[in-house]
Amino acid sequence: MISDAAQVAAVYTSGGVVAFLLAAAFFRQPLARAIDRWKGANLGKDRSIDLSGTAQVEAQKNAPPPETERLPVPAPEPGAPLPALPPPSPVYAPIEADLRRRIEQAVPGPLDVQMAWAVRIAVAAQVEANHEQTYRLIFGSQIHALKQLNTLGPLTLRQAREIFNITALRNYPETFKDDDFPAWSGYLVNRGLVTLEPGDPTDDTKAFLTPLGKDFLHFLVGRGLPEYKWG
């Protein structure tokens, strides 16, 4: 037997995958315009923290890298192949018809065109969700460093440390210590916003803003989020 979720998602043949991805985008609740700067970070199941002072530094150290969302694409149970079409249902039929109409209006063209746009919509939504998670924990000094990389180009780790000293260590001595630089810079690398040139890191190792890092800066502007955060 195929689960009810699989039957609903498989609107028609392989187009069911397209329908599911587009449905996820169509019915996705609008994301909040502003994110609480201090609370709500999640470090795992049933673990949350108050983002203030050294707690936020520790939260960054434990923050996982962005993960690709595992979309629940329709799949049969072991040993049961997915049928060409889902079985008739008086409950699902009117909803499926409305969804199919909306998909065809929003994405006209052959199935491969619909699939391409469906995948792009799903990926864009996932990237934005990852940006929101990054913004919850990022410090204002780290955003400043990203903007410097975007404006000036690659910086050495020595130059990055100078930014850390001037913007974080000097202004927030009660929170940051001199040996916090590896964690401060490591968060930007861990979240995929910055990359280092290959080799063992030295003071002369160059740091580069990644395409994801540029997109994060565009995300801040597009969503009207403050760049001048605490820290």
Side-chain angles (χ1 to χ4, degrees), residues 50-67:
D50 183 351
L51 301 186
S52 58
T54 55
Q56 188 170 346
V57 175
E58 293 303 313
Q60 286 196 356
K61 293 178 182 179
N62 291 281
E67 295 183 359

Side-chain angles (χ1 to χ4, degrees), residues 135 138-149 184 188 216-217 220 225-229 231:
Y135 185 77
I138 201 168
F139 289 109
S141 56
Q142 291 167 318
I143 294 177
H144 177 75
L146 294 177
K147 293 179 66 177
Q148 289 292 96
L149 284 168
W184 179 89
L188 301 179
F216 177 73
L217 293 177
L220 298 183
L225 295 174
E227 299 176 5
Y228 301 101
K229 293 183 64 182

